[in-house]
Structure formats: C-alpha cells, structure tokens
C-alpha cells in the first residue's frame, strides 16, 4: 500500500532539512491550512446554510462583497493571529494594513481570502491566495511602505482551491507541492511533489468578451492562438474559469497561458500585484514557467501601493515567450 504523507509531516520534514530553523514559517503554513479547512467546510455547505448571496455591503474597491469573502477573511486573520509570527496582514478585503497583536512578528502576509467570488453562487471553483514576506530587520514600528517589497522577496506563497476537491499548493522556493484534502479525516495529503508545468501548452485563457477593449498586439496574439497549424497544436483550446487561482492551477498542470491584460476598460489590468499576481507567479516560476506583464517579469515590479493592479500573462515558458514577442513587434 502507498505510504501517505500529510501536510503536517511534509512541513516538518522540510523544516528538519534546515538545522537552525525555528519552525515559524512551518507554523504559519499550518495556520493557513487550518483556516483553509474551515473555509472549505463552509464553502461545501454554502447553499444549505444560506450563506450565498450578497451581504448588502460593498468593499472599498466598490465591489459587492459576498458573505463568504468576509468569512474567509476572518478565518484567515484569526488563524494568523493564533501565533505571534505574523506582524501585519494585507488583505483584499481591508483597505489598510491590519496589524496583528504582536508587532514583533517576523512575517508580513498578503492574501486574497476568496478569489473568484462571482463563482460562489454557481458552485464553481473559488480559492484563497497567500504570499509571505519577511518584515524588515531592526525596525520596531512598521509602516505600510515596509510591506511594499517586490515578488522576488517572497519567502513562501500558495493557494487553496475549493473545487471538486480542495487542494493546497505552496512553495517556499524549493519547488511546488500539492496537497489534497481528505475531508473524512480532515487532513491535507501530499498528492504531487515538485510539480513541473509543461514547456508549452495548447490552452489560452482570458476573457475574450473584452476583445474590443484590447490593444492590437494582444488581438493579434489571440488570432495566432486560433490559427490552424497542427504542428504547433493550433488552434489552441479556450478555457476560462473566472477565478485566477483556478485558471492558473489548470495552466500549472496542463500548460498554456492565462492572461488578464491592460485594456481601455482597465488601464492597469484588473488583477492585484501583491495578493494575486506575485504569489501565483512564484508558484509558476518554481514549476518552470514564466510570468510577465507583457514586457518584464511580474516578480521584479517594485510595488508602490498595497492594492495596485498589473496586467499579467502567466504560464508555460514557450507560450509566455511567444506572447511577449507580439508585444515587442
Ligand atoms: P476576486 O473574486 O478576488 O475579486 O477576484 C476575481 C478576479 C480573478 O480571480 C479572475 O481571474 C478575474 O477577477 C475575473 O475577472 P472578469 O470577470 O473581468 O473576467
Ligand atoms: Mn481575486
Ligand atoms: Mn477576493
């Protein structure tokens, strides 16, 4: 019989490879996993408990906030508050930084507690995304600008998907590991180690309904994806879940490209650099893929505000390089 490895075991084994490690990052990942299990349980019974639908409020971005967004935000923040490891949380659902009780905590955590909220009411896949940075050393009182670090400084990142099964993917810079939740025993079980994204894929993923708002280079690239050329497996297939974490997860496993461009409707794109694009870029790069804003590496962007947006093109190396060649032409 195959030996099962739980997330807890995997994290402890990984930590033991670093003799001096105090286990803080391991604890942080376990706290996130605990919140994820609670969110997963709530997502699965969402229809029954009448948690579906708007809670009547808008968040500060002017988007309607769903009850599950708030629930996920609370659960993740309370899990992170259990140990004195995190000093600051930046969430899509909070306008400013949230300071946790112990300001000396070692890590700064960014999160999108519930990604793909428009999928809630149709029981389609949604997710949670997280990104972890070190607090600056030798600084007592942190300000928001201490959280503005480029994606290359992430010490860990990952996502949890609440889909036909609940899975957690994370990286600490040593490859990407995938865990699947077995709800009957309440444990995440290792399902894939050191995942590699295909070098090239035949799926493109974007909201093509927004074609009219795009610039010419992107229109041409999408026409390239649709052209007939069996040697390069074209025409590609189109897939769009409308939940970046889920679209990127499919791209990780099957290859291809996910795109949320800038456009005349969204001049800086719509997706958030710090809690959507950077963590998913860290995952994809760790699996051998690329993530670009069309011209440069997403993780090299120097952030200027915690909620800023960026265009993003992410996926297999071959596909992202091809896309970039259209922007250079
Ligand atoms: P969120 O639910 O956290 O606001 O994020 C939704 C995002 C992202 O996950 C998805 O890729 C994108 O919005 C979908 O946007 P469109 O509806 O414009 O396609
Ligand atoms: Mn999101
Ligand atoms: Mn969200």
């Amino acid at each position: 019989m195959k030996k099962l490895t739980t997330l807890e075991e995997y994290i402890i084994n990984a930590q033991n490879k670093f003799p001096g490690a105090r286990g803080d990052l391991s604890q942080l990942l376990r706290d996130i996993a605990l919140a994820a299990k609670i969110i997963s349980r709530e997502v699965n019974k969402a229809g029954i408990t009448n948690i579906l639908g708007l809670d009547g409020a808008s968040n500060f971005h002017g988007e309607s906030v769903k009850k599950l967004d708030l629930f996920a935000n609370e659960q993740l923040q309370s899990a992170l508050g259990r140990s004195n490891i995190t000093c600051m949380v930046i969430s899509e659902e909070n306008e400013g930084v949230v300071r946790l009780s112990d300001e000396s905590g070692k890590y700064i955590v960014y999160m999108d507690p519930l990604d793909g909220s428009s999928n809630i009411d149709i029981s389609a896949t949604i997710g949670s995304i997280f990104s972890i940075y070190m607090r600056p050393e030798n600084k007592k009182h942190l300000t928001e600008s201490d959280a503005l670090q480029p994606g290359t400084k992430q010490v860990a990142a990952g996502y949890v998907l609440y889909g036909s099964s609940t899975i957690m993917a994370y990286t600490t810079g040593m490859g990407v590991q995938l865990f699947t939740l077995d709800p009957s025993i309440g444990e995440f079980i290792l399902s894939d180690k050191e995942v590699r994204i295909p070098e090239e894929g035949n799926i493109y993923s974007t909201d093509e309904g927004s074609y009219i708002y795009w610039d010419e280079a992107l229109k041409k690239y999408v026409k390239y994806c649709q052209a007939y050329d069996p040697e390069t497996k074209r025409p590609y297939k189109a897939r769009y879940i409308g939940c970046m974490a889920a679209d990127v997860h499919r791209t990780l496993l099957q290859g291809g490209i996910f795109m949320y461009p800038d456009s005349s409707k969204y001049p800086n794109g719509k997706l958030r650099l710090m809690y959507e694009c950077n963590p998913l870029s860290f995952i994809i790069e760790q699996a051998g893929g690329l993530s670009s804003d069309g011209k440069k590496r997403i993780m090299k962007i120097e952030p200027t505000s915690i909620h800023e947006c960026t265009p993003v093109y992410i996926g297999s190396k071959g596909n992202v390089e091809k896309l970039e060649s259209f922007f250079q032409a």
Side-chain angles (χ1 to χ4, degrees):
M1 212 167 91
K2 212 177 145 199
K3 188 180 163 286
L4 299 181
T5 306
T6 66
L7 175 68
E8 302 267 324
E9 285 167 342
Y10 190 89
I11 290 174
I12 300 254
N13 290 341
Q15 183 196 319
N16 288 342
K17 290 184 187 146
F18 297 91
R22 282 178 33 201
D24 288 352
L25 185 59
S26 303
Q27 182 61 44
L28 187 43
L29 291 168
R30 289 201 297 265
D31 289 342
I32 290 173
L34 173 67
K37 286 186 215 173
I38 298 170
I39 297 166
S40 178
R41 188 188 63 198
E42 209 62 25
V43 166
N44 284 317
K45 63 177 190 192
I48 309 165
T49 53
N50 200 23
I51 205 168
L52 291 179
L54 298 178
D55 86 337
S58 284
N59 69 10
F60 66 92
H61 302 291
E63 298 158 339
S64 44
V65 177
K66 308 255 171 166
K67 286 180 187 173
L68 268 177
D69 291 90
L70 299 181
F71 180 82
N73 195 33
E74 280 163 20
Q75 290 304 323
L76 280 159
Q77 290 193 24
S78 93
L80 293 173
R82 281 168 9 116
S83 25
N84 296 332
I85 300 168
T86 308
C87 55
M88 230 191 232
V89 177
I90 294 108
S91 165
E92 183 190 10
E93 301 304 335
N94 297 93
E95 185 163 10
V97 302
V98 177
R99 287 160 205 283
L100 295 189
S101 53
D102 190 347
E103 260 215 85
S104 65
K106 200 158 130 192
Y107 294 107
I108 297 170
V109 179
Y110 277 88
M111 64 189 193
D112 178 352
L114 222 290
D115 179 51
S117 351
S118 63
N119 282 353
I120 296 172
D121 287 346
I122 55 164
S123 303
T125 301
I126 48 183
S128 303
I129 310 174
F130 60 92
S131 166
I132 302 171
Y133 292 84
M134 299 286 293
R135 66 171 289 148
E137 274 175 50
N138 309 322
K139 199 166 176 206
K140 239 181 155 193
H141 300 295
L142 299 187
T143 61
E144 192 170 298
S145 64
D146 295 310
L148 295 175
Q149 305 181 33
T152 48
K153 292 265 168 70
Q154 290 171 102
V155 293
Y159 57 83
V160 181
L161 285 185
Y162 316 102
S164 48
S165 55
T166 295
I167 68 114
M168 176 166 172
Y170 81 86
T171 184
T172 55
M174 290 181 301
V176 178
Q177 330 304 335
L178 286 185
F179 298 84
T180 305
L181 180 65
D182 180 337
S184 65
I185 55 169
E187 295 273 12
F188 278 103
I189 307 289
L190 182 65
S191 42
D192 232 324
K193 239 165 85 174
E194 279 151 48
V195 185
R196 301 302 291 172
I197 182 172
E199 286 278 301
E200 185 103 45
N202 65 339
I203 299 174
Y204 73 99
S205 180
T206 193
D207 168 28
E208 219 172 324
S210 296
Y211 186 88
I212 196 79
Y213 305 121
W214 294 349
D215 75 40
E216 281 311 307
L218 182 62
K219 286 181 177 170
K220 281 190 186 144
Y221 174 71
V222 167
K223 288 292 162 214
Y224 163 88
C225 295
Q226 296 166 342
Y228 180 75
D229 180 31
E231 247 177 55
T232 51
K233 294 199 177 137
R234 286 180 291 149
Y236 292 166
K237 285 179 176 299
R239 293 282 185 274
Y240 191 66
I241 299 169
C243 164
M244 185 192 190
D247 279 311
V248 169
H249 181 67
R250 181 201 55 251
T251 308
L252 171 70
L253 298 182
Q254 300 187 335
I257 186 165
F258 169 80
M259 309 179 272
Y260 208 109
D262 50 348
S263 63
S264 56
K265 188 169 174 197
Y266 293 114
N268 299 314
K270 176 187 165 192
L271 297 180
R272 280 51 175 260
L273 174 64
M274 301 305 285
Y275 42 81
E276 292 176 322
C277 299
N278 270 335
L280 296 174
S281 300
F282 194 16
I283 292 274
I284 288 291
E285 285 196 7
Q286 280 293 310
L290 292 178
S291 178
S292 163
D293 71 354
K295 293 189 176 67
K296 58 182 183 303
R297 203 175 152 205
I298 288 284
M299 291 210 290
K300 281 213 145 167
I301 297 175
E302 289 288 342
T304 54
S305 75
I306 54 178
H307 295 291
E308 77 186 63
C309 293
T310 176
V312 61
Y313 306 90
I314 180 169
S316 295
K317 186 168 177 290
N319 300 78
V320 175
E321 281 173 349
K322 188 75 193 175
L323 174 279
E324 281 181 325
S325 74
F326 278 76
F327 282 106
Q328 279 150 16

